[in-house]
Amino acid sequence: MTLTKLKNKSLVTDPELSYSMRLGLPIEVYCTEKHETLAFGRIDHFCELTVVIQGQRHDRESCLFFGCPCQ
């Protein structure tokens, strides 16, 4: 994983996740413990603790989310 991806493509805040969900943009869920991508797809819904993609819950504290952050 490159530093550029961490800096420019990370989705951290609720507005960034909401933007991707509203436009139907796919995001990548990356597990920092397993060092692998867990999911790639559109956000079903999210809350303070989790993001749901393709029916699977992903913890916001233990995963990194990449996509197109709002401008």
Side-chain angles (χ1 to χ4, degrees):
M1 180 181 323
T2 64
L3 183 58
T4 303
K5 186 174 184 179
L6 282 171
K7 182 179 176 185
N8 296 332
K9 300 295 182 183
S10 294
L11 303 175
V12 179
T13 65
D14 285 349
E16 291 170 338
L17 290 169
S18 179
Y19 176 79
S20 291
M21 187 172 85
R22 187 174 65 252
L23 294 180
L25 299 173
I27 68 168
E28 175 186 358
V29 180
Y30 183 82
C31 178
T32 57
E33 295 172 0
K34 296 179 183 178
H35 302 287
E36 66 182 14
T37 298
L38 300 178
F40 184 83
R42 295 179 179 160
I43 299 171
D44 295 334
H45 62 276
F46 68 92
C47 66
E48 293 178 3
L49 303 175
T50 61
V51 176
V52 179
I53 298 174
Q54 299 174 353
Q56 292 184 318
R57 293 181 185 268
H58 303 283
D59 186 28
R60 287 178 72 170
E61 289 189 16
S62 64
C63 294
L64 298 175
F65 301 93
F66 299 107
C68 183
C70 53
Q71 300 297 331

